[in-house]
Amino acid sequence: MVRAIRGAIQVDADDRGSIIEGTTELVSAIMERNELTPDDVISVLFTATPDLTAEFPALAARKLGFHEVPLICCTEIAVPGALPRVVRLMAHVETDRPRADIQHVYLRGAVALRQDIAQ
């Protein structure tokens, strides 16, 4: 089956290291909690809030072995009052897990985005 997995993390600053570190933490947590390998991943859409421009979040996924996975980065819409410095992702994966068993992951300050499923 194909399932979509959502996640987000608030990074410390708009610098290359913070974006790579935060995105690595997010992708790693999603992969571990859902017992996935890069071969299970069909594609990943990353978004970053408009205040994050120092690096593409997809670079972190490439460093984790997502060499053959289609990845794309976009800018999140600039909603007044929105949480700053957030990298979000939506991954499409192949898994036998039922929808109810999919673990969506919200880390650091991003837990405020989805308190209904915050870890």
Side-chain angles (χ1 to χ4, degrees):
M1 284 182 276
V2 175
R3 298 283 186 218
I5 303 174
R6 286 292 318 270
I9 190 165
Q10 187 176 41
V11 300
D12 294 331
D14 180 27
D15 62 61
R16 186 175 192 273
S18 293
I19 293 169
I20 297 287
E21 175 197 10
T23 306
T24 298
E25 181 181 343
L26 176 61
V27 172
S28 297
I30 286 173
M31 299 298 285
E32 289 168 17
R33 293 181 192 184
N34 290 285
E35 299 176 344
L36 299 168
T37 69
D39 285 340
D40 300 319
V41 181
I42 298 166
S43 64
V44 183
L45 170 66
F46 291 94
T47 68
T49 49
D51 54 357
L52 294 178
T53 60
E55 187 55 84
F56 293 104
L59 180 60
R62 292 277 181 242
K63 290 182 176 207
L64 288 171
F66 286 54
H67 303 294
E68 297 178 5
V69 178
L71 308 172
I72 193 165
C73 298
C74 304
T75 303
E76 193 73 32
I77 60 173
V79 174
L83 191 65
R85 300 180 324 279
V86 175
V87 174
R88 292 173 173 87
L89 71 74
M90 181 163 46
H92 294 94
V93 303
E94 291 183 277
T95 180
D96 292 331
R97 285 179 176 238
R99 188 182 311 265
D101 291 345
I102 295 295
Q103 296 292 307
H104 304 282
V105 178
Y106 292 81
L107 302 173
R108 302 185 192 174
V111 296
L113 299 173
R114 291 298 306 265
Q115 293 183 0
D116 58 323
I117 58 173
Q119 291 72 37

